[in-house]
Coordinates of all heavy atoms in Angstrom, one line a residue:
Q8 N 107.6 318.5 177.1 CA 107.4 319.9 177.5 C 106.5 319.9 178.8 O 106.9 320.7 179.7 CB 106.6 320.6 176.3 CG 106.8 322.1 176.5 CD 106.1 322.9 175.3 OE1 105.2 322.4 174.7 NE2 106.6 324.1 175.1
F10 N 106.2 317.6 181.0 CA 107.0 317.0 182.0 C 108.0 318.0 182.6 O 108.2 318.2 183.8 CB 107.7 315.8 181.4 CG 109.0 315.3 182.2 CD1 108.8 314.8 183.5 CD2 110.2 315.4 181.7 CE1 110.0 314.4 184.2 CE2 111.4 315.0 182.4 CZ 111.2 314.5 183.7
T20 N 109.5 315.1 190.8 CA 110.9 315.0 190.7 C 111.3 313.9 189.7 O 110.4 313.0 189.4 CB 111.5 314.6 192.1 OG1 111.0 313.3 192.4 CG2 111.2 315.6 193.1
E33 N 107.4 296.8 185.5 CA 107.1 295.6 186.3 C 105.7 295.1 185.9 O 105.6 293.9 185.6 CB 107.2 296.0 187.7 CG 107.1 294.9 188.7 CD 108.2 293.8 188.5 OE1 109.4 294.2 188.2 OE2 107.9 292.6 188.7
A126 N 118.2 292.8 164.2 CA 117.2 293.7 163.5 C 116.6 293.1 162.2 O 116.2 293.8 161.4 CB 117.9 295.1 163.3
V158 N 106.8 298.9 171.9 CA 105.9 298.6 173.0 C 106.3 299.3 174.3 O 105.4 299.7 175.1 CB 105.9 297.0 173.2 CG1 105.2 296.6 174.5 CG2 105.3 296.4 172.0
P242 N 124.6 321.2 159.2 CA 124.2 321.7 160.5 C 122.9 321.1 160.9 O 122.0 320.8 160.1 CB 124.1 323.2 160.3 CG 124.4 323.5 158.9 CD 124.8 322.3 158.2
I275 N 92.5 300.4 155.1 CA 93.7 301.3 155.2 C 93.7 302.2 153.9 O 93.8 303.4 154.0 CB 95.0 300.5 155.3 CG1 95.0 299.7 156.6 CG2 96.2 301.5 155.2 CD1 96.3 298.9 156.9
L282 N 92.1 310.8 153.7 CA 93.1 311.8 154.2 C 93.5 312.7 153.0 O 93.7 313.9 153.2 CB 94.3 311.1 154.8 CG 95.4 312.0 155.3 CD1 95.0 312.8 156.5 CD2 96.7 311.2 155.6
L301 N 107.2 299.8 142.1 CA 106.7 299.2 143.3 C 107.1 297.7 143.5 O 107.5 297.3 144.5 CB 105.2 299.4 143.5 CG 104.7 299.2 144.9 CD1 105.3 300.1 145.9 CD2 103.1 299.4 144.9
A307 N 114.8 294.3 145.6 CA 116.1 295.0 145.6 C 116.6 295.1 147.0 O 117.8 294.9 147.3 CB 115.9 296.4 144.9
L339 N 140.0 275.2 162.8 CA 139.4 276.5 162.8 C 138.0 276.6 162.1 O 137.0 277.1 162.5 CB 140.3 277.5 162.2 CG 140.0 279.0 162.3 CD1 139.9 279.4 163.8 CD2 141.0 279.9 161.6
G350 N 125.0 279.7 167.4 CA 124.8 281.0 167.9 C 123.8 281.9 167.2 O 123.1 282.7 167.8
G362 N 122.6 286.3 151.3 CA 123.5 287.4 151.0 C 124.8 286.8 150.4 O 125.4 287.4 149.4
Y370 N 126.6 284.7 140.5 CA 125.3 285.4 140.6 C 125.4 286.9 140.9 O 124.4 287.5 141.0 CB 124.5 284.7 141.6 CG 124.1 283.3 141.2 CD1 124.9 282.2 141.7 CD2 123.1 283.0 140.3 CE1 124.6 280.9 141.3 CE2 122.8 281.7 139.9 CZ 123.5 280.7 140.4 OH 123.2 279.4 140.0
K383 N 119.7 302.7 142.1 CA 120.1 304.0 141.3 C 118.9 304.6 140.7 O 118.6 305.8 140.7 CB 121.2 303.6 140.3 CG 121.6 304.7 139.4 CD 123.0 305.2 139.8 CE 123.4 306.4 139.1 NZ 123.4 306.4 137.6
P418 N 108.3 283.2 154.9 CA 109.2 284.3 154.9 C 108.9 285.3 153.7 O 109.1 286.5 153.9 CB 110.6 283.7 154.7 CG 110.4 282.3 154.3 CD 109.0 281.9 154.8
G453 N 98.7 304.1 160.8 CA 99.1 305.4 160.6 C 99.3 305.7 159.1 O 98.9 304.9 158.2

Side-chain angles (χ1 to χ4, degrees):
Q8 198 177 24
F10 160 67
T20 63
E33 190 56 37
V158 171
I275 300 182
L282 177 71
L301 195 59
L339 191 59
Y370 294 98
K383 175 109 192 304

